[in-house]
């Protein structure tokens, strides 16, 4: 890996004090990089004038492994990519393979998938909020968010036995029937959740210290977002109303009414507001979905051994962190020829350099947090 | 008896610290010993029943000026050797002049009685327990009898502060 | 030689009480500071919907002992190129400043820690000014670039907010007319009003400045763990680190004591001069009885026998102390009466200091952290002008009061116009600052020559 930092000769005239530029290294072991991310920062005094991300510390060769596993065998692997929101990974993969097989999950399975995915979106955003607030110095929201996340993880555990890497969905539908109190549990959680979101909002949204730390920090305008390929709340906070759940509906999303929150400035504060609002909207989707879960089978007839016809498919979903895409090439055998994952964190991370230039070193932590990256996804 | 003991304690620390201060190679060590010197001087003020001066010495000298000194020592690279000290002749001249000044001081103090005009004024020490409280005393003096010099001094300090801020402000290209 | 020995003997004879108090401070305050850490952890846990330390001792009560033991037996690491002398000296200086400043506070009418000196609170403020040295020298001695940056930032923050704290205290001194601790409280009793009601802006300014003085959140950027710059305490481990830590908590006690003495009426009970509110004197005993009753109620619900016994023990202790308080009322034996007055005073004083420190903790767990430039902006652009205006306002208010001859509670009315004017000025300052603060967060992009920008694109 070419070490581009040391190739640059220091420019004395460029910097304010005529001093040499300073290069400091952040990570891969750092409490605030949310994983093993290494960021080389080029500083002029306190201001960042350039940066370079070094990734790959968590690369496990997941895409290569896919070539040697059958389609069903690979499904648990995708959970480990974005380990914070495993269910959405599973949804994207299963739907992609279903597209390849030209099969469709039955309506009951699709609705239960939506419920679990939206709960997972809430859980992912809760973790993001807690850790982001902790980075900026607010110690308490983390524990409140974990308390709510605990309830969601309990629902997952009751459903499929696992809290984090759930492997909840199967290709063609679901394996487990919704357990008998699923609707009641989800309803009880959603009923109490609105007050909790208000709690987090009260702590942070109007707080002038919070606003001071997040307004105008890490601004990314809409044109830059689109040029860099950013997606998810990062894109929506910059003013672009693009959400795959509305633009290219999948699963059962076309049946539900919900809003897409959009920001104006594209700074950290707007991304925070967008994610808080997304949690509210996810809660509404859950409430609508449990109103009537259609009866019927939970698994389509796809057979035990999956041998999709040769071809390729790209299927993208709106994961909590952005657009998660799966490009699967089948050669007719039981194992995929190629699985390529388009992780949202990987693409969003490219915006980091643009966002931190000109800011103080203290803001770097806030900006990395606001991108909501998971290194498992970035490195695969 | 007690007074002498306390005085000699603080004075001893002051002299030793001052000697250590000028002989250290490391600038921060010198600064630390200057702090102890100033603290012992404050102790001498305390021994003289001037408690306000004791606290003022600590707040202003130690808490203000020494912090400034230490900032400057840390932020400015001082290990660049000053060329003029290298000259042997200058070292010897400086030492000689210092010795002469010191000897002069010692002679004046020792022979004060036999100099014309009865030498140095030796004031009788005031009764320690009959003194007015130091704070009130200084306040009455500063704001009563010596109000005008006090105000002039504060205006002078204000001018110096404004001048320092103006000089330290970075010149952005717009200016 | 015998002269020196005589002198030392005379010194000890004259000052043995103070020497004893000094020994007591040295032994007791670190223990108290350790238990304040435990209280903070429990309060933090309570605000965060969890329990806090529960394992070491009943309800975690032996946690500070365990922590102290651990820190004492830890390996004492000194970085390679660190300056040995200053590395040793810096935490000692911090601790010395914190403990010495405690010598002038009084937490009861006759419970002066060392002596009721003439310059009282000014002594405390002055010795606290030695605190930043421990920080900046410690950061420098670590021979670590980030430690020096953190240390310099912390010291700059401390000396900036010292000015604010000083002005806020000056407004209180104007009202009290004296620096002597017992006289300040006496004047509050004579004027029949706590000075917080006469100079609320002064109290709030002092509260905020004292949070910054002790490096507590939201002003704790120099010692935050999630920041890039690791802070001046990085290279210190084991006992040396615990000295810094204890100095911080001892400082909290000291600023709490100063704020309480000057603004919150010291050891006076609420409405000290009002006769018909004399039943408030029963409050300490009642409070302890209530706590004891609560412990008795909870004792039945404890699952384990040891825990039940512990609860009974705590209840018994509360009832015993309540009995001591209650016995004061019918006592007429003069020295005992004095002692009881001191005890009551100490109770109220400690209650107020605890409330003050609770506010510190509350703010720590609620608010995010200030960025360093925002912190300095708050100090210099908002708080110092506000404190200055406050001093002038209090002076004008005093003049109004003395011209109109108002005494006692009426002085609040006399102070009201200037207090409102000061608050108005404060709001103007905040509004003016908000306009500039948003621009301060915006990125400052310097011109970078494209040809050599290896990070472009």
């Amino acid at each position: 890996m070419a070490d581009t930092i040391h190739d640059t000769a220091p420019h004395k005239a460029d910097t304010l004090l005529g001093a040499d530029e300073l290069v400091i290294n952040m990570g891969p072991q750092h409490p605030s990089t949310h994983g093993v991310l290494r960021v080389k920062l080029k500083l002029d005094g306190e201001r960042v004038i350039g940066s370079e991300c070094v990734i790959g510390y968590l690369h496990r060769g997941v895409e290569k492994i896919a070539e040697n596993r059958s389609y069903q065998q690979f499904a648990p692997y995708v959970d480990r990519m974005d380990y914070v929101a495993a269910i959405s990974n599973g949804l994207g993969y299963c739907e992609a393979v279903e597209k390849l097989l030209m099969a469709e999950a039955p309506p009951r399975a699709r609705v239960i998938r939506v419920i679990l995915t939206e709960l997972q979106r809430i859980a992912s955003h809760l973790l993001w909020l807690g850790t982001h607030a902790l980075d900026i110095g607010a110690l308490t929201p983390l524990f409140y968010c974990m308390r709510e996340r605990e309830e969601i993880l309990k629902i997952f555990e009751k459903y499929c036995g696992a809290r984090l890497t759930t492997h909840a969905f199967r290709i063609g539908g679901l394996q487990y029937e919704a357990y008998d109190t699923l609707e009641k549990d989800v309803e009880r959680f959603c009923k109490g959740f609105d007050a909790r979101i208000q709690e987090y909002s009260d702590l942070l949204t109007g707080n002038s210290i919070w606003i001071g730390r997040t307004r105008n920090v890490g601004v990314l305008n809409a044109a830059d977002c689109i040029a860099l390929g950013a997606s998810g709340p990062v894109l929506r906070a910059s003013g672009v109303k693009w959400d795959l759940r509305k633009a290219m509906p999948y699963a059962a999303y076309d049946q539900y009414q919900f809003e897409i929150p959009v920001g104006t400035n594209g700074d950290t504060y707007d991304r925070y507001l967008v994610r808080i609002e997304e949690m509210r909207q996810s809660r509404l989707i859950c409430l609508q979905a449990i109103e009537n879960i259609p009866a019927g089978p939970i698994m389509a007839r796809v057979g035990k051994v999956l041998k999709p016809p040769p071809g390729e498919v790209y299927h993208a979903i709106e994961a909590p962190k952005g657009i998660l895409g799966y490009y699967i090439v089948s050669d007719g055998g039981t194992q995929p020829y190629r699985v390529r994952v388009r992780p949202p964190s990987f693409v969003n991370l490219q915006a980091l350099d643009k966002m931190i230039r000109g800011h103080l070193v203290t803001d770097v932590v806030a900006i990395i947090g606001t991108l909501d990256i998971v290194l498992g996804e970035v490195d695969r | 008896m007690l007074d002498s003991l306390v005085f000699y304690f603080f004075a001893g620390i002051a002299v030793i610290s001052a000697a250590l201060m000028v002989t250290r190679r490391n600038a921060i060590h010198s600064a630390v010993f200057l702090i102890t010197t100033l603290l012992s001087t404050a102790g001498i003020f305390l021994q003289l029943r001037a408690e306000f001066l004791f606290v003022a010495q600590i707040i202003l000298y130690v808490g203000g000026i020494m912090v400034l000194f230490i900032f400057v020592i840390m932020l400015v690279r001082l290990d660049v050797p000053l060329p003029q000290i290298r000259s042997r002749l200058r070292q010897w001249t400086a030492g000689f002049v210092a010795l002469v000044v010191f000897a002069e001081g010692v002679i004046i103090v020792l022979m004060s009685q036999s100099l014309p005009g009865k030498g140095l004024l030796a004031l009788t020490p005031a009764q320690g327990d009959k003194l007015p409280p130091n704070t009130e005393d200084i306040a009455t003096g500063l704001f009563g009898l010596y109000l005008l010099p006090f105000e002039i001094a504060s205006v002078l300090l204000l001018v110096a502060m404004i001048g320092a801020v103006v000089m330290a402000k970075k010149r952005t290209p717009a200016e | 030689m015998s002269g020196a020995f005589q002198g030392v003997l005379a010194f000890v004879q004259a000052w043995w009480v103070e020497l004893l108090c000094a020994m007591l401070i040295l032994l007791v305050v670190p223990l108290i500071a350790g238990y304040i850490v435990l209280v903070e952890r429990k309060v933090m846990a309570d605000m965060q919907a969890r329990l806090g330390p529960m394992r070491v001792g009943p309800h975690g009560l032996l946690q500070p002992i365990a922590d102290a033991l651990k820190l004492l037996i830890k390996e004492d690491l000194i970085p390679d190129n660190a300056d040995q002398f200053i590395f040793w000296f810096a935490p000692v200086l911090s601790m010395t400043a914190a403990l010495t400043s405690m010598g002038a506070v009084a937490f009861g009418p006759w419970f002066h820690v060392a002596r009721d000196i003439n310059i009282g609170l000014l002594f405390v403020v002055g010795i606290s000014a030695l605190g930043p040295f421990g920080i900046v020298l410690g950061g420098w001695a670590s021979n670590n670039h980030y430690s020096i940056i953190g240390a310099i930032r912390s010291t700059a923050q401390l000396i900036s907010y010292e000015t604010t704290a000083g002005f806020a205290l000056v407004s209180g001194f104007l009202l009290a007319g004296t620096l002597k601790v017992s006289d300040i409280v006496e004047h509050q009793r004579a004027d029949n009003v706590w000075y917080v009601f006469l100079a609320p802006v002064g109290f709030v300014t002092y509260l905020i400045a004292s949070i910054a003085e002790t490096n507590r959140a939201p002003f704790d950027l120099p010692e935050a763990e999630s920041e890039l710059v690791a802070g001046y305490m990085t290279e210190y481990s084991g006992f040396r680190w615990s000295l810094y830590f204890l100095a911080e908590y001892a400082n909290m006690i000291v600023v709490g004591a100063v704020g309480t003495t000057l603004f919150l009426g010291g050891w006076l009970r609420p409405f000290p001069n009002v006769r018909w509110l004399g039943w408030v004197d029963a409050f300490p005993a009642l409070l302890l009885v209530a706590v004891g009753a609560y412990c008795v109620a909870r004792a039945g619900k404890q699952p384990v026998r040891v825990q039940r016994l512990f609860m009974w023990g705590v209840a018994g202790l509360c009832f015993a102390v309540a009995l001591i308080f209650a016995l004061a009322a019918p006592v007429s034996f003069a020295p005992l009466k004095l002692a009881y007055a001191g005890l009551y005073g100490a109770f109220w004083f400690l209650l107020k200091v605890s409330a003050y420190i609770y506010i510190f903790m509350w703010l720590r767990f609620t608010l995010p952290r200030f960025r360093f430039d925002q912190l300095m902006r708050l100090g210099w652009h908002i708080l110092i002008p506000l404190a200055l205006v406050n001093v002038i306002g209090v002076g004008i208010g005093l003049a109004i009061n003395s011209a109109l001859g108002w005494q006692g509670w009426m002085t609040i009315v006399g102070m009201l116009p200037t207090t409102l004017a000061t608050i108005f000025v404060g709001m103007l300052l905040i509004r003016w600052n908000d306009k500039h603060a948003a621009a301060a967060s915006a990125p400052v992009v310097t011109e970078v020559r494209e040809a050599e920008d290896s990070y472009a694109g």
Side-chain angles (χ1 to χ4, degrees), chain C residues 189-208:
Chain C
R189 192 228 290 279
D191 290 344
N192 219 359
V193 64
W194 292 356
Y195 289 148
V196 64
F197 298 113
L198 295 182
V201 179
F203 176 64
V204 170
T205 316
Y206 183 69
L207 183 66
I208 300 176

Side-chain angles (χ1 to χ4, degrees), chain A residues 156-351:
Chain A
F156 290 163
E157 191 179 15
K158 276 194 200 174
Y159 176 73
C160 61
R163 290 156 53 102
L164 199 66
T165 51
T166 41
H167 190 207
F169 307 146
R170 299 288 181 275
I171 299 170
L174 307 166
Q175 176 173 7
Y176 301 114
E177 184 57 74
Y179 66 94
D180 38 351
T181 53
L182 177 68
E183 284 132 325
K184 259 210 293 275
D185 282 344
V186 175
E187 190 178 3
R188 191 175 30 148
F189 170 76
C190 291
K191 287 256 156 67
F193 192 53
D194 205 27
R196 308 283 195 196
I197 301 185
Q198 195 52 46
E199 232 177 61
Y200 315 140
S201 212
D202 285 340
L203 268 179
L204 297 172
T205 306
N207 189 324
S208 62
I209 304 181
W210 179 261
I211 296 178
R213 288 296 298 266
T214 54
R215 252 251 203 268
N216 286 341
V217 168
V219 178
L220 202 59
N221 60 32
D224 282 335
C225 271
I226 298 177
L228 287 162
S231 56
V234 176
L235 177 66
R236 290 193 278 279
S238 303
V240 181
K241 196 163 182 164
W242 178 255
D243 186 328
L244 283 184
R245 294 176 289 172
K246 288 269 200 212
M248 305 174 183
Y250 52 94
Y253 282 103
D254 42 4
Q255 302 170 17
Y256 305 118
Q257 311 268 10
F258 59 98
E259 298 290 321
I260 309 291
V262 172
T264 42
N265 287 341
D267 57 14
T268 303
Y269 187 63
D270 277 355
R271 283 185 281 271
Y272 156 78
L273 288 175
V274 162
R275 287 193 178 100
I276 293 267
E277 190 54 39
E278 275 186 13
M279 282 202 276
R280 288 204 177 101
Q281 297 301 319
S282 292
R283 172 186 166 268
L284 288 175
I285 298 176
C286 279
L287 281 174
Q288 289 173 53
I290 55 175
E291 292 284 300
N292 56 340
I293 305 180
I298 52 170
M299 192 71 171
R301 290 180 182 281
V302 287
K304 276 232 159 74
V305 175
L306 291 178
K307 265 184 151 176
E312 57 189 28
V313 73
Y314 177 75
H315 180 68
I317 64 160
E318 187 74 30
K321 304 192 159 48
I323 295 177
L324 172 64
Y326 286 86
Y327 173 67
I328 307 181
V329 178
S330 157
D331 58 358
T334 51
Q335 297 177 338
Y337 179 72
R338 171 85 171 101
V339 172
R340 156 85 174 118
V341 181
R342 185 253 188 234
S345 305
F346 180 76
V347 184
N348 288 353
L349 190 57
Q350 295 174 89

Side-chain angles (χ1 to χ4, degrees), chain A residues 35-253:
Chain A
V36 277
L37 172 68
R38 183 176 169 211
V39 183
K40 292 183 191 168
L41 295 170
K42 198 167 170 189
L43 302 181
D44 163 28
E46 276 278 316
R47 301 248 166 222
V48 177
I49 53 177
S51 73
E52 184 184 328
C53 286
V54 179
I55 57 174
Y57 289 93
L58 198 47
H59 177 68
R60 296 156 287 180
V62 161
E63 294 175 357
K64 178 67 184 174
I65 290 177
E67 297 170 12
N68 294 313
R69 301 281 183 281
S70 72
Y71 290 89
Q72 296 105 316
Q73 276 177 326
F74 183 61
Y77 283 86
V78 300
D79 288 344
R80 272 85 176 154
M81 290 193 309
D82 179 2
Y83 38 77
V84 168
I87 288 191
S88 356
N89 296 18
L91 178 67
Y93 177 70
C94 291
E95 290 202 337
V97 178
E98 283 159 17
K99 221 173 183 174
L100 205 54
L101 290 168
M102 286 175 283
E104 212 183 54
R108 182 175 172 83
R110 272 187 275 142
V111 169
I112 296 181
R113 277 179 176 178
V114 165
I115 296 175
L116 292 174
T117 307
E118 287 309 305
L119 282 178
Q120 181 67 273
R121 187 183 311 272
I122 295 175
S124 171
H125 283 340
L126 282 172
L127 183 74
W128 165 82
L129 180 62
T131 50
H132 189 222
L134 187 66
D135 287 339
I136 296 191
L139 302 172
T140 318
L142 175 66
F143 295 94
Y144 295 165
C145 293
M146 285 299 151
R147 182 184 53 188
E148 269 64 83
R149 197 176 137 89
E150 191 61 31
E151 295 181 41
I152 298 180
L153 295 182
K154 277 195 188 132
I155 296 178
F156 290 163
E157 191 179 15
K158 276 194 200 174
Y159 176 73
C160 61
R163 290 156 53 102
L164 199 66
T165 51
T166 41
H167 190 207
F169 307 146
R170 299 288 181 275
I171 299 170
L174 307 166
Q175 176 173 7
Y176 301 114
E177 184 57 74
Y179 66 94
D180 38 351
T181 53
L182 177 68
E183 284 132 325
K184 259 210 293 275
D185 282 344
V186 175
E187 190 178 3
R188 191 175 30 148
F189 170 76
C190 291
K191 287 256 156 67
F193 192 53
D194 205 27
R196 308 283 195 196
I197 301 185
Q198 195 52 46
E199 232 177 61
Y200 315 140
S201 212
D202 285 340
L203 268 179
L204 297 172
T205 306
N207 189 324
S208 62
I209 304 181
W210 179 261
I211 296 178
R213 288 296 298 266
T214 54
R215 252 251 203 268
N216 286 341
V217 168
V219 178
L220 202 59
N221 60 32
D224 282 335
C225 271
I226 298 177
L228 287 162
S231 56
V234 176
L235 177 66
R236 290 193 278 279
S238 303
V240 181
K241 196 163 182 164
W242 178 255
D243 186 328
L244 283 184
R245 294 176 289 172
K246 288 269 200 212
M248 305 174 183
Y250 52 94
Y253 282 103

Side-chain angles (χ1 to χ4, degrees), chain A residues 5 8 11 24 32 42 46 51 135-136 140 143-144 207 212-213 215-216 353 357-359 361-363, chain C residues 47-48 50 146 153 226-228 365-371 374 438 441 443-444 449 452-455:
Chain A
I5 283 196
T8 318
H11 307 298
I24 53 176
S32 303
K42 198 167 170 189
E46 276 278 316
S51 73
D135 287 339
I136 296 191
T140 318
F143 295 94
Y144 295 165
N207 189 324
R213 288 296 298 266
R215 252 251 203 268
N216 286 341
D353 184 43
R357 276 182 196 232
H359 280 295
V361 170
T362 321
D363 292 325
Chain C
M47 290 188 189
Q48 291 170 348
R50 53 190 183 89
Y146 303 134
R153 276 206 197 147
S226 62
E227 300 299 329
L228 199 54
F365 308 130
T366 313
L367 298 174
R369 206 174 284 132
F370 275 112
R371 207 172 52 213
Q374 294 169 338
S441 285
V444 173
R449 291 181 286 192
E452 284 129 27
D453 182 20
S454 47
Y455 300 126

